[in-house]
mmCIF file of all heavy atoms in Angstrom:
data_model
loop_
_atom_site.group_PDB
_atom_site.id
_atom_site.type_symbol
_atom_site.label_atom_id
_atom_site.label_comp_id
_atom_site.label_asym_id
_atom_site.label_seq_id
_atom_site.Cartn_x
_atom_site.Cartn_y
_atom_site.Cartn_z
ATOM 1 N N GLY A 1 0.869 -1.176 0.001
ATOM 2 C CA GLY A 1 0.022 -0.002 -0.059
ATOM 3 C C GLY A 1 0.853 1.282 -0.123
ATOM 4 O O GLY A 1 2.035 1.278 -0.120
ATOM 5 N N PRO A 2 0.138 2.410 0.018
ATOM 6 C CA PRO A 2 0.914 3.659 0.003
ATOM 7 C C PRO A 2 1.711 3.979 1.261
ATOM 8 O O PRO A 2 1.230 3.569 2.371
ATOM 9 C CB PRO A 2 -0.189 4.749 -0.181
ATOM 10 C CG PRO A 2 -1.413 4.088 0.217
ATOM 11 C CD PRO A 2 -1.270 2.526 0.094
ATOM 12 N N VAL A 3 2.883 4.585 1.099
ATOM 13 C CA VAL A 3 3.744 4.894 2.321
ATOM 14 C C VAL A 3 3.914 6.484 1.992
ATOM 15 O O VAL A 3 4.465 6.852 0.943
ATOM 16 C CB VAL A 3 5.013 4.236 2.409
ATOM 17 C CG1 VAL A 3 5.915 4.895 3.437
ATOM 18 C CG2 VAL A 3 4.566 2.722 2.674
ATOM 19 N N THR A 4 3.623 7.425 3.043
ATOM 20 C CA THR A 4 4.074 8.750 2.846
ATOM 21 C C THR A 4 5.278 9.202 3.709
ATOM 22 O O THR A 4 5.362 8.793 4.886
ATOM 23 C CB THR A 4 2.846 9.539 3.392
ATOM 24 O OG1 THR A 4 1.668 9.209 2.580
ATOM 25 C CG2 THR A 4 3.054 11.137 3.269
ATOM 26 N N ILE A 5 6.184 9.855 3.032
ATOM 27 C CA ILE A 5 7.381 10.445 3.721
ATOM 28 C C ILE A 5 7.388 11.813 3.784
ATOM 29 O O ILE A 5 7.145 12.491 2.534
ATOM 30 C CB ILE A 5 8.690 9.784 3.044
ATOM 31 C CG1 ILE A 5 8.715 8.289 2.885
ATOM 32 C CG2 ILE A 5 9.974 10.336 3.682
ATOM 33 C CD1 ILE A 5 8.831 7.607 4.243
ATOM 34 N N ARG A 6 7.625 12.440 4.756
ATOM 35 C CA ARG A 6 7.549 14.065 4.827
ATOM 36 C C ARG A 6 8.896 14.436 5.404
ATOM 37 O O ARG A 6 9.381 13.938 6.463
ATOM 38 C CB ARG A 6 6.397 14.567 5.688
ATOM 39 C CG ARG A 6 6.373 15.994 5.612
ATOM 40 C CD ARG A 6 5.104 16.676 6.258
ATOM 41 N NE ARG A 6 5.032 16.157 7.717
ATOM 42 C CZ ARG A 6 3.926 15.801 8.239
ATOM 43 N NH1 ARG A 6 2.792 15.703 7.410
ATOM 44 N NH2 ARG A 6 3.886 15.310 9.429
ATOM 45 N N ALA A 7 9.562 15.392 4.885
ATOM 46 C CA ALA A 7 10.745 15.944 5.266
ATOM 47 C C ALA A 7 10.492 17.541 5.472
ATOM 48 O O ALA A 7 9.806 18.174 4.496
ATOM 49 C CB ALA A 7 11.916 15.784 4.342
ATOM 50 N N THR A 8 10.903 18.095 6.649
ATOM 51 C CA THR A 8 10.658 19.449 6.911
ATOM 52 C C THR A 8 12.042 20.070 7.333
ATOM 53 O O THR A 8 12.878 19.478 8.121
ATOM 54 C CB THR A 8 9.821 19.543 8.104
ATOM 55 O OG1 THR A 8 8.507 18.806 7.892
ATOM 56 C CG2 THR A 8 9.360 21.011 8.402
ATOM 57 N N VAL A 9 12.406 21.227 6.792
ATOM 58 C CA VAL A 9 13.468 22.009 7.104
ATOM 59 C C VAL A 9 13.158 23.114 8.011
ATOM 60 O O VAL A 9 12.248 23.966 7.685
ATOM 61 C CB VAL A 9 14.210 22.549 5.936
ATOM 62 C CG1 VAL A 9 15.373 23.336 6.351
ATOM 63 C CG2 VAL A 9 14.631 21.413 5.033
ATOM 64 N N TRP A 10 13.724 23.191 9.288
ATOM 65 C CA TRP A 10 13.531 24.299 10.174
ATOM 66 C C TRP A 10 14.621 25.075 10.436
ATOM 67 O O TRP A 10 15.852 24.569 10.471
ATOM 68 C CB TRP A 10 13.083 23.650 11.526
ATOM 69 C CG TRP A 10 11.802 22.887 11.558
ATOM 70 C CD1 TRP A 10 11.579 21.510 11.297
ATOM 71 C CD2 TRP A 10 10.600 23.396 11.859
ATOM 72 N NE1 TRP A 10 10.379 21.311 11.462
ATOM 73 C CE2 TRP A 10 9.597 22.270 11.676
ATOM 74 C CE3 TRP A 10 10.026 24.611 12.208
ATOM 75 C CZ2 TRP A 10 8.338 22.332 11.970
ATOM 76 C CZ3 TRP A 10 8.667 24.800 12.386
ATOM 77 C CH2 TRP A 10 7.851 23.687 12.298
ATOM 78 N N TYR A 11 14.470 26.464 10.591
ATOM 79 C CA TYR A 11 15.510 27.366 10.729
ATOM 80 C C TYR A 11 15.507 27.644 12.257
ATOM 81 O O TYR A 11 14.425 27.955 12.822
ATOM 82 C CB TYR A 11 15.333 28.568 9.939
ATOM 83 C CG TYR A 11 16.285 29.747 10.341
ATOM 84 C CD1 TYR A 11 17.682 29.598 10.092
ATOM 85 C CD2 TYR A 11 15.870 30.774 10.936
ATOM 86 C CE1 TYR A 11 18.632 30.539 10.374
ATOM 87 C CE2 TYR A 11 16.769 31.878 11.347
ATOM 88 C CZ TYR A 11 18.069 31.757 11.016
ATOM 89 O OH TYR A 11 19.042 32.734 11.429
ATOM 90 N N SER A 12 16.567 27.682 12.869
ATOM 91 C CA SER A 12 16.732 28.057 14.365
ATOM 92 C C SER A 12 17.659 29.184 14.555
ATOM 93 O O SER A 12 18.838 29.110 14.071
ATOM 94 C CB SER A 12 17.139 26.890 15.148
ATOM 95 O OG SER A 12 17.144 27.221 16.491
ATOM 96 N N ARG A 13 17.239 30.326 15.041
ATOM 97 C CA ARG A 13 18.067 31.581 15.033
ATOM 98 C C ARG A 13 19.268 31.362 15.971
ATOM 99 O O ARG A 13 20.287 31.920 15.775
ATOM 100 C CB ARG A 13 17.234 32.766 15.550
ATOM 101 C CG ARG A 13 16.152 33.215 14.543
ATOM 102 C CD ARG A 13 15.351 34.278 15.111
ATOM 103 N NE ARG A 13 14.196 34.706 14.234
ATOM 104 C CZ ARG A 13 13.047 34.242 14.257
ATOM 105 N NH1 ARG A 13 12.673 33.483 15.176
ATOM 106 N NH2 ARG A 13 12.172 34.644 13.351
ATOM 107 N N VAL A 14 19.174 30.565 16.985
ATOM 108 C CA VAL A 14 20.119 30.328 17.962
ATOM 109 C C VAL A 14 19.967 28.858 18.510
ATOM 110 O O VAL A 14 18.807 28.444 18.638
ATOM 111 C CB VAL A 14 20.122 31.318 19.001
ATOM 112 C CG1 VAL A 14 18.953 31.428 19.865
ATOM 113 C CG2 VAL A 14 21.398 31.319 19.960
ATOM 114 N N VAL A 15 21.005 28.322 18.778
ATOM 115 C CA VAL A 15 21.026 26.943 19.347
ATOM 116 C C VAL A 15 20.390 26.963 20.844
ATOM 117 O O VAL A 15 20.658 27.881 21.483
ATOM 118 C CB VAL A 15 22.481 26.266 19.375
ATOM 119 C CG1 VAL A 15 22.385 24.902 20.164
ATOM 120 C CG2 VAL A 15 23.069 26.197 18.079
ATOM 121 N N SER A 16 19.480 25.942 21.078
ATOM 122 C CA SER A 16 18.898 25.957 22.291
ATOM 123 C C SER A 16 19.587 25.992 23.552
ATOM 124 O O SER A 16 19.307 26.791 24.559
ATOM 125 C CB SER A 16 17.742 24.766 22.445
ATOM 126 O OG SER A 16 18.604 23.567 22.425
ATOM 127 N N SER A 17 20.747 25.309 23.530
ATOM 128 C CA SER A 17 21.668 25.449 24.721
ATOM 129 C C SER A 17 22.327 26.747 24.865
ATOM 130 O O SER A 17 22.421 27.250 26.034
ATOM 131 C CB SER A 17 22.880 24.299 24.515
ATOM 132 O OG SER A 17 23.609 24.729 23.441
ATOM 133 N N VAL A 18 22.567 27.507 23.853
ATOM 134 C CA VAL A 18 22.951 28.900 23.852
ATOM 135 C C VAL A 18 21.899 29.805 24.351
ATOM 136 O O VAL A 18 22.100 30.758 25.282
ATOM 137 C CB VAL A 18 23.585 29.356 22.584
ATOM 138 C CG1 VAL A 18 23.919 30.943 22.558
ATOM 139 C CG2 VAL A 18 24.798 28.639 22.113
ATOM 140 N N ALA A 19 20.765 29.682 23.820
ATOM 141 C CA ALA A 19 19.522 30.477 24.238
ATOM 142 C C ALA A 19 19.235 30.267 25.736
ATOM 143 O O ALA A 19 18.883 31.278 26.469
ATOM 144 C CB ALA A 19 18.273 29.973 23.458
ATOM 145 N N GLU A 20 19.338 29.128 26.217
ATOM 146 C CA GLU A 20 19.160 28.738 27.607
ATOM 147 C C GLU A 20 20.187 29.500 28.419
ATOM 148 O O GLU A 20 19.927 30.095 29.497
ATOM 149 C CB GLU A 20 19.031 27.290 27.997
ATOM 150 C CG GLU A 20 17.863 26.610 27.471
ATOM 151 C CD GLU A 20 17.979 24.994 27.475
ATOM 152 O OE1 GLU A 20 18.888 24.603 28.168
ATOM 153 O OE2 GLU A 20 17.141 24.477 26.755
ATOM 154 N N HIS A 21 21.363 29.353 28.157
ATOM 155 C CA HIS A 21 22.608 29.945 28.722
ATOM 156 C C HIS A 21 22.467 31.463 28.769
ATOM 157 O O HIS A 21 22.743 32.024 29.857
ATOM 158 C CB HIS A 21 23.955 29.504 28.150
ATOM 159 C CG HIS A 21 25.113 30.225 28.743
ATOM 160 N ND1 HIS A 21 25.646 29.740 29.986
ATOM 161 C CD2 HIS A 21 25.865 31.203 28.302
ATOM 162 C CE1 HIS A 21 26.696 30.480 30.303
ATOM 163 N NE2 HIS A 21 26.875 31.364 29.368
ATOM 164 N N LEU A 22 22.036 32.130 27.698
ATOM 165 C CA LEU A 22 21.897 33.520 27.626
ATOM 166 C C LEU A 22 20.546 34.092 28.115
ATOM 167 O O LEU A 22 20.371 35.280 28.125
ATOM 168 C CB LEU A 22 22.245 34.027 26.278
ATOM 169 C CG LEU A 22 23.543 33.745 25.688
ATOM 170 C CD1 LEU A 22 23.805 34.133 24.221
ATOM 171 C CD2 LEU A 22 24.663 34.379 26.471
ATOM 172 N N LYS A 23 19.711 33.054 28.398
ATOM 173 C CA LYS A 23 18.265 33.354 28.897
ATOM 174 C C LYS A 23 17.622 34.320 27.841
ATOM 175 O O LYS A 23 16.902 35.262 28.211
ATOM 176 C CB LYS A 23 18.391 34.039 30.308
ATOM 177 C CG LYS A 23 18.867 33.163 31.429
ATOM 178 C CD LYS A 23 18.894 33.833 32.662
ATOM 179 C CE LYS A 23 19.518 32.991 33.850
ATOM 180 N NZ LYS A 23 20.422 32.081 33.595
ATOM 181 N N ILE A 24 17.561 33.890 26.634
ATOM 182 C CA ILE A 24 16.886 34.563 25.646
ATOM 183 C C ILE A 24 15.489 34.240 25.732
ATOM 184 O O ILE A 24 15.169 33.150 25.804
ATOM 185 C CB ILE A 24 17.554 34.229 24.242
ATOM 186 C CG1 ILE A 24 19.022 34.594 24.159
ATOM 187 C CG2 ILE A 24 16.638 34.756 23.072
ATOM 188 C CD1 ILE A 24 19.698 34.170 22.889
ATOM 189 N N PRO A 25 14.552 35.287 25.543
ATOM 190 C CA PRO A 25 13.049 34.975 25.618
ATOM 191 C C PRO A 25 12.767 33.979 24.613
ATOM 192 O O PRO A 25 13.126 33.948 23.471
ATOM 193 C CB PRO A 25 12.470 36.297 25.411
ATOM 194 C CG PRO A 25 13.480 37.330 25.789
ATOM 195 C CD PRO A 25 14.873 36.630 25.409
ATOM 196 N N ALA A 26 11.694 33.121 24.872
ATOM 197 C CA ALA A 26 11.276 32.066 24.127
ATOM 198 C C ALA A 26 10.732 32.654 22.768
ATOM 199 O O ALA A 26 11.002 32.065 21.681
ATOM 200 C CB ALA A 26 10.112 31.214 24.828
ATOM 201 N N ASP A 27 10.037 33.810 22.688
ATOM 202 C CA ASP A 27 9.522 34.294 21.431
ATOM 203 C C ASP A 27 10.594 34.767 20.467
ATOM 204 O O ASP A 27 10.309 35.004 19.257
ATOM 205 C CB ASP A 27 8.530 35.587 21.731
ATOM 206 C CG ASP A 27 9.180 36.592 22.400
ATOM 207 O OD1 ASP A 27 10.119 36.431 23.192
ATOM 208 O OD2 ASP A 27 8.730 37.762 22.166
ATOM 209 N N GLU A 28 11.879 34.981 21.025
ATOM 210 C CA GLU A 28 12.979 35.349 20.201
ATOM 211 C C GLU A 28 13.784 34.075 19.536
ATOM 212 O O GLU A 28 14.645 34.250 18.740
ATOM 213 C CB GLU A 28 13.853 36.185 20.936
ATOM 214 C CG GLU A 28 13.295 37.593 21.310
ATOM 215 C CD GLU A 28 14.273 38.468 21.906
ATOM 216 O OE1 GLU A 28 15.450 38.291 21.799
ATOM 217 O OE2 GLU A 28 13.859 39.421 22.706
ATOM 218 N N ILE A 29 13.463 32.962 20.011
ATOM 219 C CA ILE A 29 14.102 31.784 19.662
ATOM 220 C C ILE A 29 13.239 30.648 18.965
ATOM 221 O O ILE A 29 13.724 29.633 18.735
ATOM 222 C CB ILE A 29 14.899 30.954 20.821
ATOM 223 C CG1 ILE A 29 14.089 30.658 21.902
ATOM 224 C CG2 ILE A 29 16.074 32.077 21.348
ATOM 225 C CD1 ILE A 29 14.766 29.787 22.800
ATOM 226 N N GLU A 30 12.058 31.173 18.626
ATOM 227 C CA GLU A 30 11.174 30.123 18.012
ATOM 228 C C GLU A 30 11.708 29.742 16.678
ATOM 229 O O GLU A 30 12.235 30.368 15.900
ATOM 230 C CB GLU A 30 9.817 30.771 17.752
ATOM 231 C CG GLU A 30 8.845 30.879 18.906
ATOM 232 C CD GLU A 30 7.481 31.251 18.526
ATOM 233 O OE1 GLU A 30 6.921 30.801 17.453
ATOM 234 O OE2 GLU A 30 6.943 31.956 19.279
ATOM 235 N N ARG A 31 11.453 28.375 16.334
ATOM 236 C CA ARG A 31 12.073 27.777 15.106
ATOM 237 C C ARG A 31 11.009 28.320 14.064
ATOM 238 O O ARG A 31 9.883 28.430 14.271
ATOM 239 C CB ARG A 31 11.898 26.246 15.163
ATOM 240 C CG ARG A 31 12.903 25.655 16.178
ATOM 241 C CD ARG A 31 12.761 24.069 16.184
ATOM 242 N NE ARG A 31 11.453 23.618 16.204
ATOM 243 C CZ ARG A 31 11.003 22.472 15.800
ATOM 244 N NH1 ARG A 31 11.958 21.516 15.312
ATOM 245 N NH2 ARG A 31 9.813 22.004 15.891
ATOM 246 N N VAL A 32 11.629 28.381 12.803
ATOM 247 C CA VAL A 32 10.910 28.911 11.668
ATOM 248 C C VAL A 32 10.784 27.748 10.676
ATOM 249 O O VAL A 32 11.924 27.213 10.257
ATOM 250 C CB VAL A 32 11.520 30.177 11.105
ATOM 251 C CG1 VAL A 32 10.712 30.577 9.770
ATOM 252 C CG2 VAL A 32 11.552 31.196 12.096
ATOM 253 N N LYS A 33 9.678 27.422 10.220
ATOM 254 C CA LYS A 33 9.453 26.389 9.099
ATOM 255 C C LYS A 33 9.981 26.948 7.777
ATOM 256 O O LYS A 33 9.359 27.888 7.309
ATOM 257 C CB LYS A 33 8.036 25.824 9.086
ATOM 258 C CG LYS A 33 7.962 24.635 8.174
ATOM 259 C CD LYS A 33 6.461 24.261 8.284
ATOM 260 C CE LYS A 33 6.185 22.996 7.470
ATOM 261 N NZ LYS A 33 4.807 22.523 7.649
ATOM 262 N N MET A 34 11.021 26.459 7.242
ATOM 263 C CA MET A 34 11.568 26.935 5.994
ATOM 264 C C MET A 34 10.934 26.280 4.697
ATOM 265 O O MET A 34 10.660 26.783 3.654
ATOM 266 C CB MET A 34 13.015 26.967 5.919
ATOM 267 C CG MET A 34 13.746 27.500 7.024
ATOM 268 S SD MET A 34 13.304 29.359 6.988
ATOM 269 C CE MET A 34 14.127 30.014 5.576
ATOM 270 N N SER A 35 10.796 24.948 4.868
ATOM 271 C CA SER A 35 10.498 24.195 3.645
ATOM 272 C C SER A 35 9.861 22.783 4.117
ATOM 273 O O SER A 35 10.141 22.293 5.205
ATOM 274 C CB SER A 35 11.520 23.968 2.775
ATOM 275 O OG SER A 35 11.226 23.201 1.654
ATOM 276 N N GLU A 36 9.049 22.282 3.345
ATOM 277 C CA GLU A 36 8.498 20.859 3.604
ATOM 278 C C GLU A 36 8.216 20.252 2.232
ATOM 279 O O GLU A 36 7.860 20.775 1.245
ATOM 280 C CB GLU A 36 7.218 20.948 4.375
ATOM 281 C CG GLU A 36 6.528 19.630 4.784
ATOM 282 C CD GLU A 36 5.397 19.724 5.562
ATOM 283 O OE1 GLU A 36 4.322 19.935 5.045
ATOM 284 O OE2 GLU A 36 5.518 19.671 6.799
ATOM 285 N N HIS A 37 8.551 18.917 2.164
ATOM 286 C CA HIS A 37 8.365 18.099 1.007
ATOM 287 C C HIS A 37 7.752 16.783 1.347
ATOM 288 O O HIS A 37 8.188 16.133 2.448
ATOM 289 C CB HIS A 37 9.660 17.721 0.194
ATOM 290 C CG HIS A 37 9.517 17.073 -1.014
ATOM 291 N ND1 HIS A 37 8.886 17.554 -2.219
ATOM 292 C CD2 HIS A 37 9.737 15.760 -1.255
ATOM 293 C CE1 HIS A 37 8.975 16.624 -3.054
ATOM 294 N NE2 HIS A 37 9.337 15.546 -2.600
ATOM 295 N N THR A 38 6.812 16.307 0.561
ATOM 296 C CA THR A 38 6.099 15.166 0.864
ATOM 297 C C THR A 38 6.254 14.143 -0.415
ATOM 298 O O THR A 38 6.107 14.712 -1.436
ATOM 299 C CB THR A 38 4.662 15.253 1.245
ATOM 300 O OG1 THR A 38 4.605 16.013 2.425
ATOM 301 C CG2 THR A 38 3.980 13.859 1.474
ATOM 302 N N THR A 39 6.699 12.945 -0.208
ATOM 303 C CA THR A 39 6.658 11.866 -1.281
ATOM 304 C C THR A 39 5.922 10.754 -0.890
ATOM 305 O O THR A 39 5.860 10.240 0.288
ATOM 306 C CB THR A 39 8.179 11.403 -1.532
ATOM 307 O OG1 THR A 39 9.018 12.642 -1.785
ATOM 308 C CG2 THR A 39 8.297 10.354 -2.460
ATOM 309 N N VAL A 40 5.169 10.235 -1.783
ATOM 310 C CA VAL A 40 4.266 9.035 -1.591
ATOM 311 C C VAL A 40 4.837 7.971 -2.491
ATOM 312 O O VAL A 40 5.031 8.167 -3.774
ATOM 313 C CB VAL A 40 2.835 9.427 -1.823
ATOM 314 C CG1 VAL A 40 1.903 8.137 -1.555
ATOM 315 C CG2 VAL A 40 2.373 10.462 -0.902
ATOM 316 N N PHE A 41 4.983 6.678 -1.983
ATOM 317 C CA PHE A 41 5.319 5.556 -2.848
ATOM 318 C C PHE A 41 4.410 4.491 -2.470
ATOM 319 O O PHE A 41 3.824 4.575 -1.361
ATOM 320 C CB PHE A 41 6.745 5.225 -2.933
ATOM 321 C CG PHE A 41 7.320 4.805 -1.495
ATOM 322 C CD1 PHE A 41 7.339 3.477 -1.192
ATOM 323 C CD2 PHE A 41 7.882 5.771 -0.674
ATOM 324 C CE1 PHE A 41 7.822 3.047 0.066
ATOM 325 C CE2 PHE A 41 8.424 5.309 0.534
ATOM 326 C CZ PHE A 41 8.293 3.977 0.877
ATOM 327 N N THR A 42 4.270 3.447 -3.317
ATOM 328 C CA THR A 42 3.460 2.298 -3.063
ATOM 329 C C THR A 42 4.285 1.002 -2.838
ATOM 330 O O THR A 42 5.130 0.715 -3.715
ATOM 331 C CB THR A 42 2.490 2.143 -4.080
ATOM 332 O OG1 THR A 42 1.660 3.277 -4.274
ATOM 333 C CG2 THR A 42 1.520 0.971 -3.786
ATOM 334 N N VAL A 43 4.179 0.347 -1.861
ATOM 335 C CA VAL A 43 4.759 -0.916 -1.597
ATOM 336 C C VAL A 43 3.801 -1.960 -2.192
ATOM 337 O O VAL A 43 2.652 -2.042 -1.915
ATOM 338 C CB VAL A 43 4.804 -1.232 -0.047
ATOM 339 C CG1 VAL A 43 5.371 -2.626 0.281
ATOM 340 C CG2 VAL A 43 5.667 -0.171 0.631
ATOM 341 N N THR A 44 4.528 -2.823 -3.037
ATOM 342 C CA THR A 44 3.881 -3.865 -3.704
ATOM 343 C C THR A 44 4.296 -5.208 -3.139
ATOM 344 O O THR A 44 5.513 -5.292 -2.681
ATOM 345 C CB THR A 44 4.103 -3.826 -5.214
ATOM 346 O OG1 THR A 44 5.459 -3.882 -5.491
ATOM 347 C CG2 THR A 44 3.475 -2.551 -5.846
#
């Protein structure tokens, strides 16, 4: 039957460990969705 594969590219302004260390507010370090691609294939 069909199998769906989805890949998503996320952009992060700063690495979470650095953000935590520097106490950067959460709204300033939100990940941004850059791209997404979906492929469907059929298993026979």
Side-chain angles (χ1 to χ4, degrees):
V3 175
T4 302
I5 305 292
R6 182 176 58 225
T8 306
V9 176
W10 294 90
Y11 170 74
S12 187
R13 293 178 182 97
V14 64
V15 177
S16 60
S17 60
V18 173
E20 290 170 12
H21 177 74
L22 298 176
K23 298 180 177 31
I24 297 174
D27 63 329
E28 293 182 25
I29 60 168
E30 278 188 41
R31 297 182 310 158
V32 178
K33 185 177 184 178
M34 300 301 290
S35 180
E36 182 175 85
H37 179 77
T38 301
T39 297
V40 179
F41 63 89
T42 303
V43 174
T44 59

